[in-house]
């Protein structure tokens, strides 16, 4: 595993674009690496955890920033 974190800025994008862009970015990443997803779509609070569970990725962190959410996703196999 690596300590590198890739950031995907999905601010301003509405459902389903934050999850679709995260899926595309994760495909190009090595297993075990972490993607930091920035999103302000209200549906992302439900969509991102569901996507991670369905796709085999681990949602290792979720927090609220001033005007958006930050999700940390560890890529599964």
């Amino acid at each position: 595993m690596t300590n590198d974190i890739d950031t995907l800025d999905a601010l301003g994008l509405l459902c389903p674009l934050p999850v679709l862009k995260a899926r595309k970015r994760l495909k190009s990443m090595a297993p075990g690496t972490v993607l930091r997803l920035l999103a302000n779509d209200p549906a992302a609070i439900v969509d991102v955890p569901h996507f991670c569970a369905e796709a085999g990725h681990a949602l290792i962190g979720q927090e609220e920033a001033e005007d958006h959410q930050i999700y940390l996703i560890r890529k599964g196999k």
Side-chain angles (χ1 to χ4, degrees):
M1 265 189 234
T2 178
N3 290 330
D4 293 337
I5 296 179
D6 194 8
T7 298
L8 173 60
D9 183 347
L11 297 174
L13 301 179
L14 297 177
C15 178
L17 290 175
V19 166
L20 293 176
K21 290 191 172 286
R23 178 186 323 225
K24 183 176 180 179
R25 180 72 62 91
L26 284 161
K27 280 185 180 182
S28 68
M29 296 172 64
T33 56
V34 176
L35 175 66
R36 177 188 296 119
L37 173 63
L38 309 177
N40 57 358
D41 174 22
I45 293 170
V46 173
D47 292 346
V48 173
H50 179 74
F51 160 69
C52 291
E54 291 294 314
H57 305 302
L59 182 60
I60 58 172
Q62 180 176 342
E63 65 182 80
E64 291 283 330
E66 185 174 326
D67 59 351
H68 63 280
Q69 301 85 40
I70 302 167
Y71 303 93
L72 294 177
I73 304 168
R74 184 176 311 282
K75 182 176 177 174
K77 295 180 180 182

